Amino acid sequence: MGREAIRPVVAGVDGSRNAPATVDLAVAEAVRHRAPLRIVHVWPGRYTGVFKGRSVVPTRADASRLLEVTARRAELAAPELPITTELLEGGAANVLTQCSHEAELLVVGHRDNPFTRPSWGSTAAYLAHHSACPLLVNRGSAHDGPVVVASSARASGSATMGYAFTEAALRGSCLVAVHMWARPGGHDGAVPVVRPGGFATERAAATERLGEALEGWSGQFPDVPVEQLLVSDLDLPYTIERASVRSRLLVAGIGRTGRFAELLYGSVGPAPVGLRSATCPALLVPTGWPVAPGPAQPVGAAGPR
């Protein structure tokens, strides 16, 4: 990704039932990006299943068992992958944010039951606005569909677009660029102003902005097929729901604000019927994250080297 030193992929595990799947996802990303894997746990965590000890109060032995089991699982999946583990103490959100400053990618898990508790939880939601490196949230299995990127069509979103192109190239996938288009006069929550020709004019302008945002990256990644999709602000939630159950990966920008990210992690109540099947991982990219020019080559599962 154009980094002078090879930074590790960091997997944050908490002892919940989805920890094995999160580690599997982190291993795949480390192999794909040819980076070492660092598995970290902030003690104490939520130990369930094989990670749960006999005592009522979690102990450091439970934490050590979690790191040992997950590291062994990662070694079996990728024997040639350099793997380290680290047991840390403190608040999970703050500690993982600190880890993100030294990482190529930070991978964390979803709640234990995404079908009845679809929101990400406080730690992942905090990282969605404060992670210093790209954040990958394991929400379920990836599908055979495209990589979907939410494009702001602004210069500040260039890193997100470039990262999405890189991920599509690594996966040998096509890319769907989604751009939210606000109705004429409907910015900042104001009542839309209806005027003759306004709808077509502003939609055409949004199409042009999206095309300009894609143009430079398409030239650098000529083998990645690209599809443009303009959606209105009212249709964005539904579009995200459908993309979640049909895509390989959802990519968006990371920052203090961002409606796309908030719609991903802010669900409340039971999951909608359309989201009761597994939802694909979500990847959030910080503004200005460096992306190396030129196409990336797909990496096989034989190993990182």
Side-chain angles (χ1 to χ4, degrees), residues 181-238:
W181 166 74
R183 295 158 295 168
H187 302 283
D188 301 324
V191 177
V193 177
V194 179
R195 59 180 181 275
F199 183 97
T201 300
E202 295 204 12
R203 183 177 177 87
T207 302
E208 183 178 357
R209 289 194 298 270
L210 179 58
E212 292 174 351
L214 290 168
E215 184 177 3
W217 291 111
S218 294
Q220 295 184 36
F221 294 85
D223 295 331
V224 176
V226 180
E227 178 182 346
Q228 301 181 30
L229 177 62
L230 260 68
V231 297
S232 71
D233 48 354
L234 296 179
D235 293 332
L236 184 61
Y238 174 79

Side-chain angles (χ1 to χ4, degrees), residues 63 94 96 125-126 167 258 276:
N94 289 330
L96 290 176
Y126 181 88
E167 292 297 315
R276 288 179 182 168

Side-chain angles (χ1 to χ4, degrees), residues 18-85:
N18 66 8
T22 300
V23 170
D24 290 345
L25 180 61
V27 169
E29 292 301 318
V31 170
R32 187 176 289 119
H33 290 277
R34 294 187 172 94
L37 175 64
R38 178 188 177 200
I39 304 174
V40 302
H41 171 59
V42 183
W43 183 81
R46 295 181 289 113
Y47 309 106
T48 59
V50 297
F51 309 125
K52 185 175 177 59
R54 296 183 177 180
S55 60
V56 177
V57 180
T59 66
R60 293 184 68 90
D62 298 327
S64 298
R65 185 185 305 110
L66 165 64
L67 289 174
E68 179 183 354
V69 171
T70 53
R72 188 180 307 160
R73 183 184 183 94
E75 291 169 356
L76 291 173
E80 298 182 7
L81 180 66
I83 301 170
T84 58
T85 62

Side-chain angles (χ1 to χ4, degrees), residues 146-208:
V147 171
V148 177
V149 57
S151 172
S152 64
R154 294 192 296 265
S156 60
S158 179
T160 302
M161 187 67 75
Y163 205 100
F165 268 95
T166 301
E167 292 297 315
L170 288 172
R171 289 167 169 77
S173 168
C174 63
L175 178 68
V176 176
V178 179
H179 177 56
M180 186 185 74
W181 166 74
R183 295 158 295 168
H187 302 283
D188 301 324
V191 177
V193 177
V194 179
R195 59 180 181 275
F199 183 97
T201 300
E202 295 204 12
R203 183 177 177 87
T207 302
E208 183 178 357

